Amino acid sequence: GDTAKTMEYYNKSYKIFEEMGDLVSMSRQVGNIGWSYVGKKDYKRAALYTKKAIELLKNTDGLDLLYNWYDNLSYINEIEENYKDAKQT
């Protein structure tokens, strides 16, 4: 698919949700960007965006997404053989 276009739409959506103050939806967009980087095998960026998605969910009721982002982060750490960070998350 057209990854650049996908990222553009995620970023546009993020800005709309930011204006609305919708942290759960902002997290969803950031996490989706992170997962896009997994597809590109850019695991450092994937981890960065996934951690940001987790941060956005603090003090919200987005537990289903929180589970998803931690699951994604564990997958990224496993691929990168980054077991030190995996233990801390």
Side-chain angles (χ1 to χ4, degrees):
D2 187 353
T3 308
K5 199 62 148 170
T6 300
M7 296 294 219
E8 179 185 335
Y9 288 135
Y10 284 146
N11 282 305
K12 283 182 179 182
S13 297
Y14 176 87
K15 289 182 191 314
I16 292 168
F17 292 127
E18 185 177 38
E19 288 175 15
M20 294 169 53
D22 185 343
L23 294 174
V24 173
S25 295
M26 289 166 60
S27 173
R28 183 175 288 114
Q29 301 315 308
V30 172
N32 287 338
I33 291 169
W35 194 249
S36 292
Y37 281 116
V38 168
K40 293 175 148 190
K41 299 186 186 316
D42 186 344
Y43 301 115
K44 295 210 183 314
R45 281 192 186 167
L48 180 75
Y49 278 92
T50 303
K51 287 176 184 178
K52 182 176 179 181
I54 290 168
E55 275 300 308
L56 285 166
L57 285 179
K58 294 214 170 155
N59 302 316
T60 72
D61 62 351
L63 292 179
D64 57 330
L65 276 180
L66 190 60
Y67 161 79
N68 190 50
W69 301 151
Y70 276 122
D71 190 46
N72 288 359
L73 193 55
S74 68
Y75 175 78
I76 293 163
N77 284 325
E78 183 178 351
I79 288 175
E80 287 284 279
E81 296 182 1
N82 190 357
Y83 302 115
K84 180 181 174 193
D85 279 353
K87 287 177 110 178
Q88 293 175 353
T89 56

